[in-house]
Amino acid sequence: MLRVASILPPDHGQGIPFDLVTLEHDERRLRRKLLRLVHGDEIMVDFPQTITLEHGSALQLEDGRLVEVIAAEELLYEIRGRDVAHLVRLAWHIGNRHTSAQLEEDRILIKRDHVLKTMLEGLGASITNISEPFFAEHGAYHSHGDAGHALLAR
């Protein structure tokens, strides 16, 4: 079984990956899991604590080979408001329902949910079905794992 020895940041410069692992937003937050690579191999991750893998980061295996982490495209709603104040109010309503959201200057992205869509449309939001990688904000009580590469230096 191939095992992960360390995590390298997106700009690691340590070489070309031999394979890729494509993960959705929720799948990139993990501690211990068996991952299937694009070409069929499986690798075991067993981190000391739960972390979030960044798009473009690399998992360095015990044998030194690298696996690049790719954020998968997901089915999302793109939410737009009439103006910045309206978008902020929409963000408040989304947060009040404890829904993961990607917050940007002129739009909010959430995973598709017909109940939330109906609520947001009722609040005057413009909603479009899209498919792209999802990078939701982490909650205030959520460990970011930004130093994940240091966690695994065993």
Side-chain angles (χ1 to χ4, degrees):
M1 171 65 54
L2 299 168
R3 298 182 64 84
V4 174
S6 63
I7 303 169
L8 303 175
D11 59 352
H12 60 81
Q14 298 294 314
I16 305 295
F18 87 98
D19 208 342
L20 310 168
V21 62
T22 303
L23 302 169
E24 291 186 357
H25 174 263
D26 294 339
E27 295 171 327
R28 292 192 311 270
R29 178 126 180 97
L30 48 87
R31 191 193 78 72
R32 187 173 201 278
K33 188 171 186 176
L34 186 66
L35 300 176
R36 182 175 301 277
L37 306 182
V38 170
H39 294 107
D41 287 325
E42 291 183 332
I43 60 172
M44 173 55 81
V45 294
D46 188 6
F47 305 143
Q49 65 188 50
T50 302
I51 65 164
T52 300
L53 298 173
E54 293 180 77
H55 173 74
S57 62
L59 302 173
Q60 187 169 36
L61 304 179
E62 289 177 328
D63 65 5
R65 292 183 297 167
L66 302 177
V67 173
E68 186 173 359
V69 176
I70 302 296
E73 285 201 7
E74 301 187 50
L75 300 177
L76 306 171
Y77 290 140
E78 177 184 74
I79 302 155
R80 294 184 183 271
R82 293 182 297 273
D83 53 33
V84 173
H86 185 225
L87 193 63
V88 168
R89 283 192 298 279
L90 296 170
W92 184 88
H93 284 283
I94 291 166
N96 194 42
R97 277 128 187 106
H98 302 280
T99 299
S100 296
Q102 180 175 326
L103 306 173
E104 298 181 3
E105 186 175 324
D106 60 349
R107 70 180 187 161
I108 302 167
L109 302 181
I110 63 171
K111 288 190 176 189
R112 292 185 193 173
D113 178 309
H114 71 280
V115 173
L116 287 173
K117 181 181 183 192
T118 300
M119 176 199 72
L120 292 164
E121 288 172 334
L123 293 168
S126 171
I127 301 184
T128 305
N129 292 337
I130 64 168
S131 177
E132 64 182 67
F134 186 46
F135 303 100
E137 293 293 319
H138 298 291
Y141 302 107
H142 191 279
S143 172
H144 294 276
D146 293 331
H149 55 281
L151 291 173
L152 294 177
R154 294 181 187 182

